[in-house]
Amino acid sequence: MLSDIAPGFDQRLIGLGIALGIGFIIGLEREWAEDKPVGVRSFALIGILGGLCGLLVDPVGGSVAAAGLLILGAILAIDFYRSEGGGITTIVAAIVVFMLGLAAVQGFWLHSIVIGGAIMVLLHWKKPLHQWVDRIGDRDFETIVRFTLITLVILPVLPDRTFGPYQVFNPFRAWLLVVLIVAINLTGYLAFRFFGRGAGAWLAGALGGLVSSTATTLAYSGLTRRKPDYSALTVVVILVASTVVYGRVLVELAIVSPTLVRELVFPSAAISIVLIALAAFVFLRSRQPALTDAPTGENPARIREALTFAAIYVVILFILAAVRDRLGEEAVYAVAVVSGLTDVDALTLSVGQLHADGNTSADTAWRAVFLATLANLVFKAGAASIIGAPELRRPILATAAIATLTGLAILFFWP
């Protein structure tokens, strides 16, 4: 601390410096933009005004901050009236700079700096943000609204305590994991909507894996029925999407059971390298046209799907707890295989929750999750060979067999 190096140094001077700096950088952006009468000097002075009000809060009281904000508001209102209603964004930014200056002097240095930087970026990205909003269709906006309902309306009202046998069902925690999965799916869905239509096989696989590797496999396999020339590239899409599964699994475990991430990260990296190598091999041998078509993804924030996932998660959680209690830890692997055939996320979160609660060992937990991903890979390969064109069958079965055997070797021989 500076007070240790220079006794008597008033650290509120640093807050004033931060207030001045925030006003300067935001004013610089506003003056750089076209037709902005409130520029770098005005914003710097507004930041200092907020800082001085923050400096006087302790000896005078909070009324001085309120008075400063009222005076600034009156000045900005006059300017707004004289400019015939223009520049509302700049006016709001000025008020924010005042508040950040006040907060900086009160000791919230990091908060002020981070928010100030974010405000500058937000102001500067006006055109890209408006272009992004213009590209959002009715379906995309409905998806965002439903995610808001799932996250901000349903989640807060759920009780945060356990119920039922084995004391493993917590409504709040279960729905929080639903929010996590929907958020991951929504990120992939929106990215796919904006980039996936003309994306190549590698990007299509990565985005599809974010949404759902199983759904991606089924969709692209069906596409090969209409366009058999896409068969080899569809194998690439499936393998890449299956690789992304391991990233999803690690993110999910980082939320519910961070210690398991250390156990699973290296086996996941090993099998991911194999999957990517197989995808590269198929891609380099392919003589097919570029993948320019893409199936339309499903809305990832539908309430029915959210409720279905929550139900699957709770059921698997109960089954895992019951199986472990009655048959021992080894029986968890059987549940992992069956559940992993269609849903790795629910199994991952259930096993992670059991480990976090101390109901299963780390070794059993990571191996169960890893086994579920292999079972899911087998299911996807089988489904693709049935749904897809005949040209898809041989390459997907061969590559999936190599990856699965490698995964089993990792599972049995990893220390």
Side-chain angles (χ1 to χ4, degrees):
M1 297 293 290
L2 285 172
S3 57
D4 298 330
I5 301 174
F9 180 83
D10 191 344
Q11 296 193 25
R12 290 177 296 181
L13 290 174
I14 297 178
L16 286 171
I18 293 173
L20 176 63
I22 291 173
F24 182 84
I25 62 170
I26 294 181
L28 184 65
E29 193 284 330
R30 291 289 81 190
E31 190 163 317
W32 178 83
E34 297 180 0
D35 300 326
K36 302 298 180 186
V38 185
V40 61
R41 291 185 302 167
S42 299
F43 268 92
L45 289 172
I46 291 171
I48 285 295
L49 175 63
L52 290 173
C53 288
L55 196 65
L56 295 173
V57 163
D58 292 335
V60 178
S63 58
V64 69
L69 185 59
L70 286 173
I71 293 171
L72 175 63
I75 295 172
L76 293 174
I78 293 172
D79 180 74
F80 182 76
Y81 176 77
R82 292 176 60 185
S83 60
E84 298 181 354
I88 185 65
T89 301
T90 300
I91 292 173
V92 174
I95 295 174
V96 173
V97 167
F98 174 87
M99 298 302 296
L100 290 176
L102 192 153
V105 172
Q106 286 293 309
F108 298 98
W109 297 349
L110 182 60
H111 305 75
S112 301
I113 293 172
V114 171
I115 296 174
I119 293 298
M120 181 186 179
V121 172
L122 185 64
L123 292 171
H124 184 64
W125 280 357
K126 174 183 177 180
K127 289 183 179 179
L129 286 172
H130 283 293
Q131 290 172 354
W132 180 74
V133 171
D134 290 339
R135 295 181 65 180
I136 292 179
D138 293 340
R139 183 182 179 188
D140 303 322
F141 186 73
E142 179 68 19
T143 299
I144 295 172
V145 170
R146 289 180 179 180
F147 179 68
T148 303
L149 172 65
I150 290 171
T151 306
L152 301 180
V153 178
I154 298 177
L155 181 64
V157 302
L158 295 175
D160 187 9
R161 59 191 183 92
T162 55
F163 296 88
Y166 302 106
Q167 291 294 299
V168 294
F169 173 51
N170 182 308
F172 180 86
R173 188 179 295 175
W175 198 256
L176 181 61
L177 298 179
V178 170
V179 171
L180 169 65
I181 297 303
V182 173
I184 294 174
N185 293 347
L186 179 60
T187 300
Y189 170 79
L190 293 177
F192 200 95
R193 287 280 291 111
F194 292 119
F195 304 111
R197 178 61 60 181
W202 292 87
L203 181 56
L207 297 176
L210 280 176
V211 179
S212 168
S213 65
T214 302
T216 298
T217 297
L218 299 178
Y220 277 92
S221 298
L223 182 63
T224 63
R225 283 287 186 181
R226 293 184 285 109
K227 298 186 177 182
D229 287 347
Y230 282 173
S231 294
L233 293 180
T234 294
V235 174
V236 175
V237 171
I238 295 171
L239 293 175
V240 173
S242 298
T243 305
V244 175
V245 168
Y246 292 95
R248 286 177 63 111
V249 163
L250 292 175
V251 170
E252 291 162 9
L253 289 179
I255 302 298
V256 297
S257 183
T259 57
L260 275 185
V261 175
R262 295 194 296 268
E263 301 289 339
L264 190 59
V265 63
F266 292 111
S268 296
I271 192 64
S272 296
I273 291 172
V274 173
L275 288 167
I276 291 298
L278 290 170
F281 176 78
V282 174
F283 181 79
L284 293 175
R285 286 177 58 89
S286 171
R287 296 290 187 269
Q288 297 173 355
L291 186 64
T292 56
D293 197 5
T296 303
E298 294 293 332
N299 188 328
R302 289 184 292 188
I303 301 300
R304 184 179 62 185
E305 276 68 16
L307 291 172
T308 301
F309 177 84
I312 292 173
Y313 164 76
V314 172
V315 169
I316 292 176
L317 197 60
F318 276 127
I319 292 174
L320 286 172
V323 166
R324 179 189 173 279
D325 181 60
R326 296 175 180 272
L327 302 178
E329 278 200 348
E330 301 299 323
V332 170
Y333 297 136
V335 180
V337 171
V338 175
S339 174
L341 289 174
T342 56
D343 197 329
V344 175
D345 292 327
L347 185 281
T348 298
L349 293 170
S350 301
V351 171
Q353 193 60 63
L354 284 179
H355 174 67
D357 294 338
N359 293 324
T360 189
S361 66
D363 187 69
T364 298
W366 83 258
R367 292 182 192 275
V369 172
F370 193 81
L371 184 59
T373 64
L374 297 181
N376 187 250
L377 179 61
V378 171
F379 171 80
K380 288 182 292 191
S385 66
I386 295 172
I387 296 173
E391 293 85 350
L392 177 64
R393 189 171 299 122
R394 183 177 178 181
I396 189 60
L397 290 177
T399 52
I402 294 172
T404 302
L405 291 173
T406 304
L408 290 174
I410 293 172
L411 186 67
F412 285 111
F413 298 109
W414 198 272

